[in-house]
C-alpha cells in the first residue's frame, strides 16, 4: 500500500513538472503556458495541493486534480484562444473602449480553473463512491 502511494506521488510529480517545464520552454509563447511560467509560484501551490491529497489518503482526488491541472491548461489555452478570436471578430468601428477590451479578453485562466474544480468534484465523488463500496462488501 505504501509503495503504491509513492508510485502515485512520483508519477503525479513528473506529470506536473513536465507541464511546468513545457510552460517554461516549448509553449512559453502561448498565453496560458506563459502565464503559468510567469506565475510559477501559483502553479507550484496548485501542484502541492494535488500532492497533499495523497498525504491525506485521498488518492482519487489527487489523481483527478492532477488530470484537471494538466488537461485544463491545454484546454484553457486553446479553447480560450478560440473564444478570444471569435469575440474579436465582433469588434466594430465605433465601439466603446470598454466593449473592445472585454471582447479581447482571453478566458483561458477561467477555463483552466473551472476544469480543475470540475475534476476535483469528480474525484471527491469517486472517492466517496469507492469508500462506500468498500464498506458495503
Amino acid at each position: 500500500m505504501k509503495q503504491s502511494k509513492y508510485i502515485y506521488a512520483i508519477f503525479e510529480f513528473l506529470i506536473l513538472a513536465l507541464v511546468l517545464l513545457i510552460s517554461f520552454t516549448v509553449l512559453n509563447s502561448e498565453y496560458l503556458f506563459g502565464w503559468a511560467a510567469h506565475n510559477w509560484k501559483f502553479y507550484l501551490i496548485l501542484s502541492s495541493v494535488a500532492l497533499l491529497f495523497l498525504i491525506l489518503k485521498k488518492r482519487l482526488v489527487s489523481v483527478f486534480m492532477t488530470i484537471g491541472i494538466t488537461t485544463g491548461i491545454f484546454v484553457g489555452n486553446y479553447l480560450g484562444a478560440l473564444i478570444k478570436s471569435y469575440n474579436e471578430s465582433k469588434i466594430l468601428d465605433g465601439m466603446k473602449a470598454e466593449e473592445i477590451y472585454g471582447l479581447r479578453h482571453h478566458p483561458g485562466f477561467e477555463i483552466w480553473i473551472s476544469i480543475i474544480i470540475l475534476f476535483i468534484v469528480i474525484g471527491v465523488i469517486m472517492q466517496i463512491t469507492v469508500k462506500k463500496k468498500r464498506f458495503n462488501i
Side-chain angles (χ1 to χ4, degrees):
M1 182 74 171
K2 235 179 196 212
Q3 186 179 10
S4 68
K5 183 198 273 189
Y6 292 126
I7 291 171
Y8 276 92
I10 291 169
F11 190 66
E12 288 183 34
F13 176 79
L14 289 175
I15 290 172
L16 294 168
L18 181 65
V19 170
L20 189 60
L21 180 67
I22 289 170
S23 296
F24 274 110
T25 56
V26 179
L27 296 176
N28 194 11
S29 61
E30 295 290 331
Y31 172 77
L32 199 51
F33 291 98
W35 185 93
H38 183 265
N39 298 297
W40 58 271
K41 291 178 184 176
F42 176 81
Y43 184 85
L44 288 180
I45 291 170
L46 197 61
S47 300
S48 298
V49 170
L51 296 173
L52 179 66
F53 281 123
L54 279 177
I55 296 169
L56 298 174
K57 298 180 181 175
K58 304 294 182 199
R59 183 182 300 163
L60 287 174
V61 179
S62 176
V63 168
F64 275 92
M65 184 172 179
T66 301
I67 293 169
I69 291 169
T70 305
T71 58
I73 196 166
F74 284 97
V75 172
N77 185 68
Y78 295 111
L79 182 61
L82 185 69
I83 292 170
K84 181 184 176 205
S85 66
Y86 174 73
N87 286 341
E88 284 178 338
S89 70
K90 296 179 185 178
I91 295 175
L92 302 171
D93 289 336
M95 280 186 146
K96 294 180 183 176
E98 296 85 19
E99 291 175 305
I100 293 172
Y101 180 78
L103 291 172
R104 287 190 175 152
H105 172 70
H106 191 297
F109 181 78
E110 293 90 347
I111 294 169
W112 184 35
I113 296 300
S114 299
I115 289 173
I116 293 170
I117 292 170
L118 174 68
F119 273 82
I120 290 172
V121 169
I122 292 170
V124 167
I125 291 169
M126 295 285 292
Q127 188 82 39
I128 291 170
T129 305
V130 167
K131 189 174 184 178
K132 281 184 179 180
K133 283 184 179 181
R134 236 184 257 162
F135 284 123
N136 287 337
I137 293 177

